[in-house]
Coordinates of all heavy atoms in Angstrom, one line a residue:
M1 N 161.2 100.7 35.9 CA 161.1 102.2 35.7 C 161.7 102.8 36.9 O 161.3 102.5 38.0 CB 159.7 102.6 35.3 CG 159.5 104.0 35.5 SD 157.7 104.4 35.4 CE 157.9 106.1 34.9
S2 N 162.4 104.0 36.7 CA 162.9 104.9 37.7 C 162.0 105.9 37.9 O 161.6 106.7 37.1 CB 164.3 105.4 37.3 OG 164.9 106.2 38.3
L3 N 161.6 106.0 39.2 CA 160.6 107.2 39.6 C 161.4 108.3 40.2 O 162.5 108.1 40.8 CB 159.6 106.6 40.7 CG 158.7 105.5 40.2 CD1 157.9 105.0 41.4 CD2 157.8 106.0 39.1
P4 N 161.0 109.5 39.9 CA 161.5 110.7 40.5 C 161.5 110.6 42.1 O 160.5 110.0 42.5 CB 160.8 111.8 40.1 CG 159.5 111.3 39.6 CD 159.8 109.8 39.3
N5 N 162.5 111.1 42.7 CA 162.5 111.1 44.2 C 161.5 112.2 44.6 O 161.9 113.3 45.1 CB 163.8 111.4 44.8 CG 163.8 111.2 46.2 OD1 163.1 110.7 46.9 ND2 164.9 111.7 46.9
A6 N 160.2 112.0 44.5 CA 159.1 113.0 44.9 C 158.1 112.3 45.8 O 157.8 111.1 45.5 CB 158.6 113.5 43.6
D7 N 157.4 113.1 46.6 CA 156.4 112.5 47.3 C 155.1 112.8 46.6 O 155.0 113.6 45.7 CB 156.2 113.3 48.8 CG 157.4 113.0 49.6 OD1 157.9 111.8 49.5 OD2 157.8 113.8 50.4
F8 N 154.2 111.9 46.9 CA 152.9 112.2 46.4 C 151.9 112.0 47.7 O 152.2 111.4 48.6 CB 152.4 111.3 45.3 CG 152.1 109.9 45.6 CD1 150.8 109.3 45.8 CD2 153.1 108.9 45.7 CE1 150.6 108.1 46.1 CE2 152.8 107.6 46.0 CZ 151.5 107.2 46.2
S9 N 150.7 112.6 47.5 CA 149.9 112.7 48.7 C 148.5 112.1 48.3 O 148.0 112.2 47.3 CB 149.8 114.0 49.1 OG 149.2 114.8 48.2
L10 N 147.9 111.4 49.4 CA 146.6 110.9 49.4 C 145.9 111.7 50.6 O 146.6 111.8 51.5 CB 146.5 109.4 49.6 CG 147.1 108.6 48.5 CD1 147.0 107.1 49.0 CD2 146.3 108.7 47.2
S11 N 144.7 111.9 50.3 CA 144.0 112.5 51.6 C 143.9 111.5 52.7 O 144.0 110.3 52.3 CB 142.6 113.0 51.2 OG 141.8 111.9 51.0
A12 N 143.7 111.8 53.8 CA 143.5 110.9 55.0 C 142.4 110.1 54.7 O 142.4 108.8 54.9 CB 143.4 111.7 56.2
E13 N 141.2 110.5 54.2 CA 140.1 109.7 53.8 C 140.3 108.7 52.8 O 140.0 107.5 52.9 CB 138.9 110.7 53.4 CG 137.5 110.0 53.2 CD 136.6 110.9 52.8 OE1 136.7 112.1 52.8 OE2 135.5 110.4 52.3
D14 N 141.1 109.1 51.7 CA 141.4 108.2 50.7 C 142.3 107.0 51.2 O 142.2 105.8 50.8 CB 142.1 108.8 49.5 CG 141.3 109.6 48.7 OD1 140.0 109.4 48.6 OD2 141.7 110.5 47.8
A15 N 143.4 107.4 52.0 CA 144.3 106.4 52.6 C 143.5 105.5 53.5 O 143.7 104.2 53.4 CB 145.3 107.2 53.3
L16 N 142.5 106.0 54.4 CA 141.7 105.1 55.2 C 140.9 104.2 54.4 O 140.9 102.9 54.8 CB 140.9 106.0 56.1 CG 139.8 105.3 57.0 CD1 140.6 104.4 58.0 CD2 138.9 106.2 57.6
L17 N 140.2 104.6 53.3 CA 139.4 103.8 52.5 C 140.3 102.7 51.9 O 139.9 101.4 51.9 CB 138.7 104.5 51.5 CG 137.5 105.4 51.9 CD1 137.0 106.2 50.8 CD2 136.4 104.5 52.5
L18 N 141.5 103.1 51.3 CA 142.3 102.0 50.8 C 142.9 101.0 51.7 O 142.8 99.9 51.5 CB 143.6 102.8 50.2 CG 143.4 103.5 48.9 CD1 144.5 104.4 48.5 CD2 143.1 102.6 47.7
F19 N 143.3 101.5 53.0 CA 143.7 100.6 54.0 C 142.6 99.6 54.5 O 142.9 98.5 54.7 CB 144.3 101.4 55.3 CG 144.7 100.5 56.3 CD1 146.0 99.7 56.3 CD2 143.8 100.1 57.4 CE1 146.2 98.9 57.2 CE2 144.2 99.2 58.5 CZ 145.4 98.6 58.3
R20 N 141.4 100.1 54.5 CA 140.3 99.3 55.1 C 140.0 98.2 54.0 O 139.8 97.0 54.3 CB 139.1 100.1 55.4 CG 139.2 100.9 56.7 CD 138.0 101.7 56.8 NE 136.8 101.1 57.4 CZ 135.6 101.6 57.6 NH1 135.5 102.9 57.5 NH2 134.7 100.7 58.0
D21 N 140.1 98.6 52.7 CA 139.8 97.6 51.7 C 140.9 96.6 51.6 O 140.7 95.4 51.5 CB 139.6 98.3 50.3 CG 138.3 98.9 50.2 OD1 137.4 98.7 50.9 OD2 138.1 99.8 49.1
L22 N 142.1 97.1 51.6 CA 143.3 96.1 51.6 C 143.2 95.2 52.8 O 143.6 94.0 52.7 CB 144.5 96.9 51.5 CG 144.8 97.6 50.1 CD1 146.1 98.6 50.2 CD2 144.9 96.6 49.0
E23 N 142.9 95.6 53.9 CA 142.9 94.8 55.1 C 141.7 93.8 54.9 O 142.0 92.5 55.2 CB 142.5 95.7 56.4 CG 142.3 94.9 57.6 CD 143.6 94.2 58.1 OE1 144.8 94.6 57.7 OE2 143.6 93.4 59.0
E24 N 140.6 94.1 54.5 CA 139.6 93.1 54.1 C 139.9 92.0 53.2 O 139.8 90.9 53.4 CB 138.3 93.8 53.7 CG 137.2 93.0 53.2 CD 136.0 93.5 52.6 OE1 135.7 94.8 52.7 OE2 135.4 92.8 51.7
Y25 N 140.6 92.5 52.1 CA 141.0 91.6 51.1 C 142.0 90.7 51.5 O 142.0 89.4 51.4 CB 141.5 92.4 49.8 CG 140.5 93.4 49.2 CD1 141.0 94.4 48.6 CD2 139.1 93.2 49.3 CE1 140.2 95.3 48.0 CE2 138.3 94.1 48.8 CZ 138.8 95.1 48.0 OH 137.9 96.2 47.5
A26 N 143.0 91.1 52.2 CA 144.0 90.3 52.7 C 143.5 89.2 53.7 O 143.8 88.1 53.5 CB 145.2 91.1 53.4
V27 N 142.8 89.6 54.6 CA 142.3 88.7 55.7 C 141.2 87.7 55.1 O 141.3 86.5 55.2 CB 141.7 89.4 56.8 CG1 141.0 88.5 57.8 CG2 142.8 90.2 57.5
S28 N 140.3 88.3 54.3 CA 139.2 87.4 53.8 C 139.8 86.5 52.7 O 139.4 85.2 52.7 CB 138.3 88.4 53.0 OG 137.6 89.1 53.9
L29 N 140.7 86.8 51.8 CA 141.3 85.9 50.8 C 142.1 84.9 51.6 O 142.0 83.7 51.2 CB 142.1 86.7 49.8 CG 141.1 87.7 48.8 CD1 142.2 88.5 48.0 CD2 140.3 86.8 48.1
D30 N 142.8 85.1 52.6 CA 143.6 84.1 53.4 C 142.6 83.1 53.9 O 142.8 82.0 53.8 CB 144.4 84.9 54.4 CG 145.1 83.8 55.3 OD1 146.1 83.2 54.6 OD2 144.8 83.7 56.4
R31 N 141.4 83.7 54.6 CA 140.5 82.6 55.1 C 139.8 81.8 53.9 O 139.6 80.6 54.1 CB 139.5 83.5 55.8 CG 140.0 84.1 57.1 CD 139.0 84.8 57.9 NE 139.6 85.4 59.0 CZ 139.0 86.2 59.9 NH1 137.7 86.7 59.6 NH2 139.5 86.7 61.0
I32 N 139.5 82.5 52.8 CA 138.8 81.7 51.8 C 139.8 80.6 51.2 O 139.4 79.5 50.9 CB 138.4 82.8 50.6 CG1 137.1 83.5 51.2 CG2 138.0 81.9 49.4 CD1 136.8 84.7 50.3
M33 N 141.1 81.1 51.1 CA 142.0 80.0 50.5 C 142.3 78.9 51.5 O 142.5 77.8 51.0 CB 143.3 80.7 50.1 CG 143.3 81.8 49.0 SD 142.5 81.2 47.4 CE 143.6 80.2 46.9
S34 N 142.3 79.2 52.7 CA 142.4 78.1 53.7 C 141.2 77.2 53.6 O 141.3 75.9 53.6 CB 142.5 78.7 55.2 OG 143.7 79.4 55.3
R35 N 140.1 77.7 53.4 CA 138.8 76.9 53.3 C 138.7 76.1 52.0 O 138.4 74.8 51.9 CB 137.5 77.7 53.4 CG 137.3 78.2 54.8 CD 136.0 79.0 54.9 NE 135.8 79.3 56.4 CZ 136.1 80.4 56.9 NH1 136.8 81.4 56.3 NH2 135.9 80.7 58.3
L36 N 139.2 76.7 50.9 CA 139.4 76.0 49.6 C 140.4 74.8 49.8 O 140.2 73.7 49.2 CB 139.8 76.9 48.6 CG 138.7 78.0 48.1 CD1 139.2 78.9 47.0 CD2 137.6 77.4 47.7
A37 N 141.5 75.1 50.5 CA 142.5 74.0 50.6 C 141.9 72.9 51.5 O 142.4 71.7 51.3 CB 143.8 74.7 51.3
A38 N 141.0 73.3 52.3 CA 140.3 72.2 53.2 C 139.2 71.4 52.5 O 138.5 70.5 53.0 CB 139.8 72.8 54.5
G39 N 138.9 71.8 51.2 CA 137.9 71.2 50.4 C 136.6 72.0 50.3 O 135.6 71.4 49.7
A40 N 136.5 73.1 50.6 CA 135.2 74.0 50.4 C 134.9 74.1 49.1 O 135.8 74.1 48.2 CB 135.5 75.3 51.2
D41 N 133.6 74.5 48.7 CA 133.2 74.7 47.4 C 133.9 75.9 47.0 O 133.7 77.0 47.4 CB 131.6 75.0 47.4 CG 131.1 75.2 46.1 OD1 131.7 75.3 45.1 OD2 129.8 75.4 46.0
P42 N 134.6 75.8 45.6 CA 135.2 77.0 45.1 C 134.4 78.1 44.9 O 134.8 79.3 44.7 CB 135.9 76.5 43.9 CG 135.8 75.0 43.8 CD 134.7 74.7 44.9
G43 N 133.0 78.0 44.9 CA 132.1 79.0 44.6 C 132.1 80.1 45.8 O 131.7 81.2 45.6
I44 N 132.8 79.7 46.8 CA 132.7 80.7 48.0 C 133.6 81.9 47.6 O 133.5 83.1 48.0 CB 133.2 80.2 49.4 CG1 134.6 79.6 49.3 CG2 132.3 79.1 49.8 CD1 135.3 79.2 50.5
L45 N 134.7 81.6 46.8 CA 135.5 82.8 46.3 C 134.7 83.8 45.3 O 134.7 85.0 45.5 CB 136.7 82.3 45.5 CG 137.7 83.3 44.9 CD1 138.1 84.4 45.9 CD2 138.8 82.6 44.2
A46 N 134.0 83.2 44.3 CA 133.3 84.0 43.4 C 132.1 84.7 44.3 O 131.8 85.9 44.0 CB 132.6 83.1 42.4
D47 N 131.6 84.1 45.1 CA 130.5 84.8 45.9 C 131.0 85.9 46.7 O 130.3 87.0 46.8 CB 129.8 83.7 47.0 CG 129.0 82.6 46.4 OD1 128.5 82.7 45.2 OD2 128.7 81.6 47.1
Y48 N 132.2 85.7 47.3 CA 132.8 86.8 48.1 C 133.1 88.0 47.1 O 132.9 89.1 47.4 CB 134.1 86.4 48.7 CG 135.0 87.6 49.2 CD1 134.5 88.3 50.4 CD2 136.2 87.9 48.6 CE1 135.4 89.3 50.8 CE2 136.9 89.0 49.0 CZ 136.5 89.7 50.1 OH 137.1 90.8 50.6
L49 N 133.8 87.7 46.0 CA 134.1 88.7 45.0 C 132.9 89.6 44.5 O 132.9 90.8 44.5 CB 134.8 88.1 43.8 CG 136.2 87.6 44.2 CD1 136.8 86.8 42.9 CD2 137.2 88.6 44.7
V50 N 131.9 88.8 44.4 CA 130.6 89.5 43.8 C 129.9 90.2 44.9 O 129.5 91.5 44.8 CB 129.7 88.5 43.2 CG1 128.3 89.2 42.9 CG2 130.3 87.9 41.9
D51 N 129.7 89.5 46.1 CA 128.9 90.2 47.1 C 129.5 91.3 47.7 O 128.9 92.2 48.1 CB 128.8 89.1 48.3 CG 127.8 87.9 47.9 OD1 127.1 88.0 46.8 OD2 127.7 86.9 48.6
R52 N 130.8 91.4 47.8 CA 131.6 92.6 48.3 C 132.0 93.6 47.3 O 132.8 94.5 47.6 CB 132.8 92.0 49.2 CG 132.3 91.1 50.4 CD 131.7 91.8 51.4 NE 132.4 92.9 51.9 CZ 131.9 94.0 52.5 NH1 130.7 94.2 52.6 NH2 132.8 95.0 53.0
R53 N 131.6 93.3 46.1 CA 132.0 94.3 45.0 C 133.4 94.5 45.0 O 133.9 95.7 44.7 CB 131.1 95.5 45.0 CG 129.7 95.5 45.1 CD 128.9 96.7 45.3 NE 129.5 97.9 46.0 CZ 130.2 98.8 45.5 NH1 130.2 99.0 44.1 NH2 130.7 99.9 46.2
V54 N 134.2 93.5 45.0 CA 135.6 93.6 45.1 C 136.2 94.3 43.7 O 137.1 95.1 43.8 CB 136.3 92.3 45.3 CG1 137.9 92.4 45.2 CG2 135.9 91.8 46.7
A55 N 135.8 94.0 42.6 CA 136.2 94.4 41.4 C 136.1 96.0 41.3 O 137.0 96.7 40.9 CB 135.6 93.8 40.1
A56 N 134.9 96.3 41.6 CA 134.6 97.8 41.6 C 135.5 98.5 42.6 O 135.9 99.7 42.4 CB 133.1 98.2 41.9
R57 N 135.7 97.9 43.8 CA 136.4 98.6 44.9 C 137.8 98.7 44.5 O 138.6 99.6 44.7 CB 136.2 98.0 46.1 CG 134.7 98.2 46.7 CD 134.3 97.3 47.7 NE 135.2 97.5 48.9 CZ 135.2 96.4 49.8 NH1 134.5 95.3 49.8 NH2 136.0 96.6 50.9
L58 N 138.4 97.6 43.9 CA 139.8 97.7 43.4 C 139.9 98.7 42.3 O 140.9 99.4 42.3 CB 140.3 96.3 42.8 CG 140.5 95.3 44.0 CD1 140.6 93.9 43.4 CD2 141.6 95.6 44.7
A59 N 139.1 98.8 41.4 CA 139.0 99.7 40.4 C 139.1 101.3 41.0 O 139.8 102.1 40.5 CB 137.8 99.8 39.4
R60 N 138.2 101.5 42.0 CA 138.3 102.8 42.7 C 139.7 103.1 43.4 O 140.3 104.1 43.2 CB 137.2 102.9 43.8 CG 137.1 104.2 44.5 CD 136.3 104.2 45.6 NE 136.9 103.5 46.8 CZ 136.4 102.6 47.5 NH1 135.2 102.3 47.4 NH2 136.9 101.9 48.4
A61 N 140.2 102.0 43.9 CA 141.6 102.1 44.6 C 142.7 102.4 43.5 O 143.5 103.3 43.7 CB 142.0 100.9 45.4
R62 N 142.6 101.8 42.4 CA 143.4 102.0 41.3 C 143.4 103.4 40.9 O 144.4 104.0 40.6 CB 143.3 100.9 40.1 CG 144.1 101.2 39.0 CD 143.8 100.3 37.9 NE 142.5 100.7 37.3 CZ 141.6 99.9 36.7 NH1 142.1 98.7 36.4 NH2 140.5 100.2 36.3
G63 N 142.2 103.9 40.6 CA 141.9 105.3 40.3 C 142.7 106.2 41.2 O 143.3 107.3 40.8
T64 N 142.4 106.1 42.5 CA 142.8 107.0 43.5 C 144.4 107.0 43.5 O 145.0 108.1 43.5 CB 142.4 106.5 45.0 OG1 141.0 106.5 45.0 CG2 142.9 107.3 46.1
V65 N 145.1 105.9 43.6 CA 146.6 105.8 43.5 C 147.0 106.4 42.3 O 148.0 107.0 42.1 CB 147.0 104.4 43.8 CG1 148.6 104.4 43.6 CG2 146.6 104.0 45.3
G66 N 146.3 105.9 41.1 CA 146.9 106.3 39.8 C 146.8 107.9 39.7 O 147.6 108.4 39.2
D67 N 145.7 108.5 40.1 CA 145.7 110.0 40.1 C 146.7 110.6 40.8 O 147.4 111.6 40.3 CB 144.2 110.4 40.5 CG 143.1 110.0 39.7 OD1 143.3 109.7 38.5 OD2 142.0 110.3 40.2
A68 N 147.1 110.1 42.0 CA 148.2 110.6 42.8 C 149.6 110.5 42.1 O 150.3 111.4 42.0 CB 148.1 110.1 44.3
L69 N 149.7 109.2 41.5 CA 151.0 109.0 40.9 C 151.2 109.9 39.5 O 152.2 110.3 39.2 CB 151.1 107.5 40.6 CG 151.6 106.7 41.6 CD1 151.6 105.2 41.2 CD2 153.1 107.0 41.9
E70 N 150.0 109.9 38.9 CA 150.1 110.7 37.6 C 150.5 112.2 37.9 O 151.2 112.8 36.9 CB 148.6 110.7 37.0 CG 148.7 111.5 35.6 CD 147.3 111.3 35.0 OE1 146.7 110.2 35.1 OE2 146.9 112.3 34.3
A71 N 150.2 112.7 39.0 CA 150.6 114.1 39.3 C 152.1 114.1 39.4 O 152.7 115.3 39.1 CB 149.9 114.6 40.5
V72 N 152.7 113.1 39.8 CA 154.2 113.0 39.9 C 155.0 112.7 38.7 O 155.8 113.2 38.3 CB 154.6 112.2 41.2 CG1 156.2 112.0 41.3 CG2 154.0 112.6 42.5
I73 N 154.5 111.5 38.1 CA 155.1 110.9 37.0 C 154.6 111.2 35.6 O 155.3 110.9 34.5 CB 155.4 109.5 37.2 CG1 154.1 108.7 37.2 CG2 156.3 109.2 38.5 CD1 154.1 107.2 37.0
G74 N 153.4 111.8 35.5 CA 152.8 112.1 34.3 C 151.9 110.9 33.7 O 152.1 109.8 34.2
A75 N 150.9 111.3 32.8 CA 150.0 110.2 32.3 C 150.7 109.3 31.5 O 150.4 108.1 31.5 CB 149.0 111.0 31.6
E76 N 151.7 109.7 30.6 CA 152.3 108.7 29.7 C 153.1 107.5 30.6 O 153.0 106.3 30.2 CB 153.2 109.3 28.8 CG 153.8 108.5 27.7 CD 154.7 109.2 26.7 OE1 154.3 110.3 26.3 OE2 155.6 108.6 26.1
A77 N 153.9 108.0 31.6 CA 154.6 107.1 32.4 C 153.5 106.2 33.2 O 153.8 104.9 33.3 CB 155.5 107.8 33.3
L78 N 152.5 106.7 33.6 CA 151.5 105.9 34.3 C 151.0 104.7 33.4 O 150.8 103.7 33.8 CB 150.5 106.7 35.0 CG 149.5 106.0 35.9 CD1 150.2 105.5 37.0 CD2 148.3 106.9 36.3
E79 N 150.6 105.2 32.3 CA 150.1 104.3 31.2 C 151.0 103.2 30.8 O 150.7 102.0 30.6 CB 149.6 105.1 29.9 CG 149.0 104.2 28.9 CD 147.7 103.6 29.3 OE1 147.0 104.2 30.1 OE2 147.3 102.5 28.8
D80 N 152.4 103.6 30.6 CA 153.4 102.5 30.5 C 153.4 101.5 31.7 O 153.5 100.2 31.4 CB 154.7 103.2 30.3 CG 155.0 104.0 29.0 OD1 154.1 103.8 28.2 OD2 155.9 104.8 29.0
I81 N 153.3 102.0 32.8 CA 153.3 101.1 34.1 C 152.1 100.1 33.9 O 152.3 98.9 34.1 CB 153.3 101.8 35.3 CG1 154.7 102.5 35.5 CG2 153.1 100.9 36.5 CD1 154.7 103.6 36.5
A82 N 151.0 100.7 33.5 CA 149.7 99.9 33.5 C 149.8 98.9 32.4 O 149.3 97.9 32.6 CB 148.6 100.9 33.2
E83 N 150.4 99.3 31.2 CA 150.5 98.4 30.0 C 151.4 97.2 30.5 O 151.3 96.1 29.9 CB 150.9 99.0 28.8 CG 149.8 100.1 28.3 CD 148.7 99.2 27.9 OE1 148.8 98.1 27.3 OE2 147.5 99.8 28.1
G84 N 152.4 97.4 31.4 CA 153.2 96.4 31.7 C 153.0 95.4 32.7 O 153.6 94.5 33.1
A85 N 151.7 95.8 33.4 CA 151.2 94.9 34.5 C 150.7 93.5 33.9 O 150.2 93.6 32.8 CB 150.2 95.6 35.3
F86 N 150.8 92.5 34.8 CA 150.1 91.3 34.4 C 148.7 91.4 34.3 O 148.0 92.0 35.2 CB 150.4 90.2 35.5 CG 149.7 88.9 35.3 CD1 150.2 88.0 34.3 CD2 148.6 88.6 36.1 CE1 149.4 86.8 34.1 CE2 147.8 87.5 35.8 CZ 148.2 86.5 34.9
R87 N 148.0 90.7 33.3 CA 146.6 90.8 33.1 C 146.2 89.3 32.7 O 146.6 88.7 31.8 CB 146.2 91.8 32.0 CG 146.4 93.2 32.4 CD 146.0 94.0 31.3 NE 146.5 95.4 31.8 CZ 146.3 96.5 31.0 NH1 146.0 96.4 29.7 NH2 146.7 97.7 31.5
Y88 N 145.4 88.8 33.7 CA 144.8 87.4 33.4 C 144.1 87.3 32.1 O 143.3 88.3 31.7 CB 143.8 87.1 34.5 CG 143.2 85.7 34.3 CD1 143.9 84.6 34.6 CD2 141.9 85.6 33.9 CE1 143.3 83.2 34.4 CE2 141.2 84.4 33.6 CZ 142.0 83.2 33.9 OH 141.4 82.0 33.6
S89 N 144.4 86.4 31.3 CA 143.7 86.2 30.0 C 143.1 84.8 29.7 O 142.7 84.6 28.6 CB 144.7 86.6 28.9 OG 145.8 85.5 28.9
G90 N 142.9 84.2 30.8 CA 142.2 83.0 30.7 C 143.2 81.7 30.4 O 144.4 82.0 30.2
P91 N 142.5 80.6 30.4 CA 143.4 79.4 30.1 C 143.9 79.2 28.8 O 143.4 79.8 27.9 CB 142.4 78.2 30.5 CG 141.1 78.8 30.6 CD 141.1 80.2 30.7

């Protein structure tokens, strides 16, 4: 999809929250994957995801960025992008 050459904005507070969450996820998941590779119990990943409310926090981040993008590209284009994204569907 071609996006218009337009800026969109996030408040500094929204950007800070997004950055902090992304920093946590990148570092934590790297550490968890290293431990899993060394033979740790795979439950550590599920524990992290649940204890740190990762799904809810990612949904909030998606909403924040989605709202900002929607203002630039429109709801229909944003929905098309969402529909084209990979979604895990199980084994």
